[in-house]
Amino acid sequence: MPDPSPLELIHLSDEEQSISLRVMGGMSFSGTDQYDVLHAEIVVSTGFVSGRVELCLNAYDLDSWAEVLNSVVAGRKATWLESGRSPRITIDPTEETGSGCTEVSVCDVTSSQVRITVPIATQPDWDGHRQLLAAVRNRFQLER
């Protein structure tokens, strides 16, 4: 029986605020034992504003997330999910911002057009995010 609990792909937080992306489950339309898309949600939580937005991810999106991780580890700003079919996430590492914080922006380009930028004071564990990606890929086998 598949594990029904959500699995985090992204978790960026400090003592006051966080942005996470949780994979809620997989959906198969092709009739195979692999998933075609993953049902997920982005959750933003700060003392000022909180919200969530749903999205679907495919195998290409996970490959693209791995590329984003490579960019931010190298200290470069990177944007993920730029296709226009889902919310977009931009990560600006500490070295780039001047504020001493990693700035993470979520833009709901498909619906509300709302954009929020959250400064994360704690340096993210990018290697830990690679492990989260591996865990998502292991649990949810995606059709290519």
Side-chain angles (χ1 to χ4, degrees):
M1 172 183 267
D3 185 348
S5 62
L7 190 59
E8 283 192 324
L9 177 63
I10 300 172
H11 184 84
L12 298 166
S13 67
D14 58 25
E15 293 178 4
E16 298 179 17
Q17 46 215 12
S18 69
I19 292 182
S20 62
L21 186 147
R22 297 186 290 220
V23 177
M24 310 306 286
M27 295 179 272
S28 179
F29 309 113
S30 60
T32 69
D33 59 349
Q34 292 186 322
Y35 297 110
D36 295 297
V37 296
L38 301 179
H39 175 241
E41 66 179 0
I42 299 170
V43 179
V44 177
S45 178
T46 76
F48 179 66
V49 65
S50 295
R52 60 180 286 283
V53 62
E54 293 184 8
L55 67 153
C56 290
L57 302 172
N58 59 33
Y60 170 79
D61 295 329
L62 296 184
D63 293 344
S64 175
W65 176 238
E67 293 172 14
V68 166
L69 289 173
N70 290 337
S71 291
V72 296
V73 164
R76 294 187 305 269
K77 181 177 179 178
T79 301
W80 185 47
L81 303 173
E82 295 183 273
S83 69
R85 65 173 170 74
S86 65
R88 180 174 44 235
I89 297 175
T90 302
I91 302 172
D92 200 351
T94 303
E95 294 81 15
E96 297 271 325
T97 65
S99 69
C101 297
T102 296
E103 293 180 355
V104 184
S105 300
V106 177
C107 182
D108 180 17
V109 296
T110 59
S111 180
S112 68
Q113 299 297 307
V114 170
R115 177 186 179 96
I116 182 167
T117 299
V118 178
I120 304 294
T122 304
Q123 182 63 29
D125 175 9
W126 300 120
D127 286 333
H129 279 85
R130 286 188 172 115
Q131 293 170 5
L132 294 175
L133 174 58
V136 167
R137 285 181 164 160
N138 284 336
R139 186 188 299 177
F140 301 102
Q141 301 297 312
L142 281 167
E143 189 76 37
R144 290 202 176 262

